Amino acid sequence: MKTRKPQKEAKSSGTITMLDVAEYAGVSAQTVSRVVGNSSLVAEKTRRRVEEAIQALRYIPNDAARSLASASSRVVAVIIPTLSSSAFAAEVKGVIDALEPHKISVIIGNTEYSQAREEAILQSLLERRPIGVILTGLQHSPKVRSLLQQSGVAVIETWDTDGDPIDMAVGFSNFTAGYDVGKLLCERGSKRIAFVGGGSAQDSRAQSRYLGLCKAVKEAKLPDVHRVELSLPMSGNDGIRGLDEVLRDAPLTDAIFFSADTMALAAILECNRRGIRIPEQLAICGFGDYELAAMVTPSLTTVRTQPDEMGATAAQMLLARISESGNAKHKVVLAHQLVRRGSA
Amino acid sequence: MKTRKPQKEAKSSGTITMLDVAEYAGVSAQTVSRVVGNSSLVAEKTRRRVEEAIQALRYIPNDAARSLASASSRVVAVIIPTLSSSAFAAEVKGVIDALEPHKISVIIGNTEYSQAREEAILQSLLERRPIGVILTGLQHSPKVRSLLQQSGVAVIETWDTDGDPIDMAVGFSNFTAGYDVGKLLCERGSKRIAFVGGGSAQDSRAQSRYLGLCKAVKEAKLPDVHRVELSLPMSGNDGIRGLDEVLRDAPLTDAIFFSADTMALAAILECNRRGIRIPEQLAICGFGDYELAAMVTPSLTTVRTQPDEMGATAAQMLLARISESGNAKHKVVLAHQLVRRGSA
DNA sequence: TTGTACGCGTTATCAA
DNA sequence: TTGATAACGCGTACAA
């Protein structure tokens, strides 16, 4: 136990509060608050005394009390479909790293691609009174929308800019990305193109890519895209399953656009094993540009997005909104890039 | 600027509190509190009235006030080296999913393998008064230890059981895992073995695996393990770099143990490209059993751990500690499994 | 089964 | 530049 103990109040219940620090430093609690809050209205000498007291007593501010008194928290909520996807994990990391210097914590919700879970998780997270909520995609249930609207938090929707955001958005155009892939496949001479991805209801971003692909295919006057829907979340095994389904149901297919690199990579490896020549016999295109995409043989043609950059940008937009410096952007479209390699 | 309302009658302020709900339902605030807290001491009829009021007013409890009044939070802090690693991401997901039903939020800190950052992040996260802190590994600075000790939070250390935990631990024996790999390599006839991983100071888990490997190699009376240290975090490119360094500095090497599958996978792909025959010319073993490990050719021999299970277990241990049901375990050793495939 | 009084640790306001 | 006081919204303890 400490040698130095507040004498006059028997209220020292073990936890060290600002009052303890104030007493130790011979100032008022308010002055301690100013020091902790880096207020400029403190004499240098006083500040040093208080900081010494903080060190000596190992004082750690209580954020709950701060939030309650100031009616504002230091928390941002991020709701993503799943942390299993390296893309979403990278986004979250971008958010955390950008917010850490500001002492803002990030709490995460996994919806597993379920709208019902999104609602429940949002409701739960709103109890923390976050200063901002970062969502995935532009498609949300009415309940989510009304919860958001009513709570008045800043909202940032990510991964999609093909629509109107609730509040702010940062991402890229999935439609254009899909269209770009379609044009590439058409121009390289593919005639019968397939798309493998999640269900349209669950993953509207993948759906947009599909629609973009369809547009390019239509413009090239090719047969309709053969679509294989798999349940989310998708893993490498789903890539093989998707490949199998395409080969079975549309055997003339000569190009597949997978909605994620995990699947495309697995498909390439499986084709190698089966002796299916890529891209001569079957062209393959992925999405996400995972690190291994450049390393497989043939290397994977894919679309590079910037998940970490997206997370960092979302965080910056939130900070800008909070500081009300006026330069808060409402919609930021990040570049995506078609990376042409050996597989298509 | 917000102005405080001196009157407590004028509850027309923006935020809806328990008092508003209480008034609407014709009960006291305390009864509302009981309903929100699922207390059994509320008449069914009253409960329904209150719940209707909550719905009607769209009341959302304020967690800061709850924490302050009850002197306990609903937050768990998880501190990991980086969210870029799928293993750590899986662990975090395990924690989140296990805690979500209990309405406990998870806040994440990324140390980037830096002890200094671990200290700073921990200090910052402790302001949220988490009910538990989940750390990575058993090696922590004195400051981290004293912060933890002083705050009195429950602590769970993960990913390593080769040592004494501060409080509780869940993980596996990295030393044994490394030893297992070493025995396999020796038994299959490898004579000159190399290890590629992070610096010993930064990643003590990888260091333990290295030491286990060395023990097996020593028992087999083989030449010392050639070690290549790379800076963390490690990516696929580091696998290729590690491969290059081994081939350059220890050209007689006939087996490499990579401290993570990301590197091992990249190395296999690179060997394929260069015409290095695996495992005849060079055996390769990874760590982590990532999904692609089974899909590359030759498939990757590796060690399977259970990151998600580890996260879930850590969460359960925390819950057990909180409920003080007495069955809180102090050290849980999860199984790891050597998965022998084609590469070694 | 329900209500009343009080305090949790901090910040905002205003006075000194 | 500093301090006194009053909230912030809720749970705990106890009374009814």
Side-chain angles (χ1 to χ4, degrees), chain A residues 77-264:
Chain A
V78 180
I79 301 181
I80 55 174
T82 176
L83 208 45
S84 300
S85 154
S86 65
F88 293 126
E91 177 200 1
V92 171
K93 181 163 154 48
V95 175
I96 293 177
D97 290 350
L99 256 25
E100 199 255 334
H102 299 265
K103 299 235 178 194
I104 297 174
S105 296
V106 173
I107 57 183
I108 299 179
N110 281 305
T111 68
E112 302 298 330
Y113 291 95
S114 148
Q115 291 221 336
R117 289 202 58 177
E118 182 171 52
E119 288 172 8
I121 289 170
L122 176 62
Q123 181 123 34
S124 169
L125 296 189
L126 283 179
E127 298 190 2
R128 319 282 150 171
R129 298 291 187 273
I131 54 182
V133 176
I134 297 177
L135 300 175
T136 305
L138 294 168
Q139 203 157 76
H140 308 284
S141 71
K143 176 158 185 205
V144 164
R145 287 170 177 279
S146 77
L147 275 171
L148 254 17
Q149 229 109 46
Q150 225 239 325
S151 67
V153 284
V155 179
I156 304 211
E157 289 162 283
T158 55
W159 289 101
D160 198 0
T161 54
D162 295 325
D164 293 321
I166 296 174
D167 183 4
M168 298 177 275
V170 53
F172 55 89
S173 169
N174 286 277
F175 185 87
T176 307
Y179 181 76
D180 293 348
V181 169
K183 279 202 55 168
L184 172 73
L185 292 177
C186 293
E187 285 170 4
R188 72 171 293 285
S190 298
K191 298 299 179 195
R192 293 177 180 266
I193 299 174
F195 176 86
V196 175
S200 55
Q202 293 178 88
D203 188 348
S204 63
R205 275 103 41 217
Q207 170 73 2
S208 293
R209 283 173 232 145
Y210 166 74
L211 292 176
L213 176 71
C214 289
K215 186 187 177 207
V217 165
K218 192 160 205 170
E219 287 178 0
K221 301 195 166 61
L222 294 180
D224 282 355
V225 172
H226 178 77
R227 176 166 192 174
V228 173
E229 286 196 12
L230 300 172
S231 61
L232 293 157
M234 289 161 312
S235 60
N237 278 320
D238 292 304
I240 298 177
R241 187 173 315 141
L243 175 68
D244 281 335
E245 292 200 19
V246 168
L247 296 180
R248 187 192 65 205
D249 299 337
L252 296 178
T253 296
D254 56 7
I256 305 180
F257 177 24
F258 287 93
S259 78
D261 271 9
T262 40
M263 291 190 291

Side-chain angles (χ1 to χ4, degrees), chain A residues 58 60-61 63 66 69 74 84 93 103 105 108 112 127-129 150 235-236 273 291 295, chain B residues 4 58 60-61 63 66 74 84 93 103 105 107-108 112 127-129 150 235-236 273 291 295:
Chain A
R58 296 168 166 264
I60 293 182
D63 189 66
R66 173 164 45 207
R74 293 187 181 185
S84 300
K93 181 163 154 48
K103 299 235 178 194
S105 296
I108 299 179
E112 302 298 330
E127 298 190 2
R128 319 282 150 171
R129 298 291 187 273
Q150 225 239 325
S235 60
R273 206 171 299 137
E291 193 179 27
M295 299 182 180
Chain B
R4 299 249 177 176
R58 296 167 166 266
I60 293 182
D63 189 65
R66 171 164 46 207
R74 293 186 180 185
S84 300
K93 182 165 155 46
K103 299 235 178 195
S105 296
I107 56 183
I108 299 179
E112 302 299 330
E127 298 190 2
R128 319 282 149 171
R129 297 291 187 273
Q150 225 238 327
S235 61
R273 206 172 300 136
E291 193 180 25
M295 299 183 180

Side-chain angles (χ1 to χ4, degrees), chain B residues 156-167:
Chain B
I156 304 211
E157 289 163 283
T158 55
W159 290 102
D160 197 1
T161 54
D162 295 326
D164 293 322
I166 296 174
D167 182 5

